[in-house]
Amino acid sequence: MTIPDEAPGDAETLPPRQRRMLFRALHRGTKECDLMLGGFVRRNIADFSGPELAELERILEMPDVDLTDWLSGRRPVPEEARGPLLDRIISAAGEPGSGMPDEIR
C-alpha cells in the first residue's frame, strides 16, 4: 500500500508505531534525506515486516549527514551500519526520480 503525497489522511490508517516512523522519515531535518528516505518509507511502510520495522527504527536513529551521504553515494556505508532494508533504500535512492512523488516520476 502506497501512502500518496497528496493524501496525508491515508497515513492515519497505519498503526501508531508506523505513523511515528513515517513522520520521522519525512521530517529528518535535511530536505535531501526527507525526500530520499521519506519517499521510500512512504511508499513501503504499510508492507514492512516486523524485522523491517525494527531495522527502520535503527535507521531513523542514524545521523542525517551519514544517511544523506550513503543514500546519495557520496560515501560508502560502513559494514556495521548495513542491513537488508538500508540496502533496499540505497538502491531505490539511486533510481531516477528518487524522492519525487509518484505522479511526477
Side-chain angles (χ1 to χ4, degrees), residues 30-44:
T30 63
K31 193 62 173 175
E32 295 87 351
C33 203
D34 291 351
L35 293 171
M36 290 185 288
L37 177 62
F40 179 88
V41 171
R42 182 180 16 81
R43 286 188 300 277
N44 297 287

Side-chain angles (χ1 to χ4, degrees), residues 38-67:
F40 179 88
V41 171
R42 182 180 16 81
R43 286 188 300 277
N44 297 287
I45 188 126
D47 299 320
F48 285 162
S49 66
E52 287 172 323
L53 290 171
E55 185 178 351
L56 179 59
E57 286 177 324
R58 184 180 62 84
I59 291 167
L60 291 171
E61 294 299 322
M62 296 175 179
D64 263 12
V65 174
D66 292 335
L67 280 172

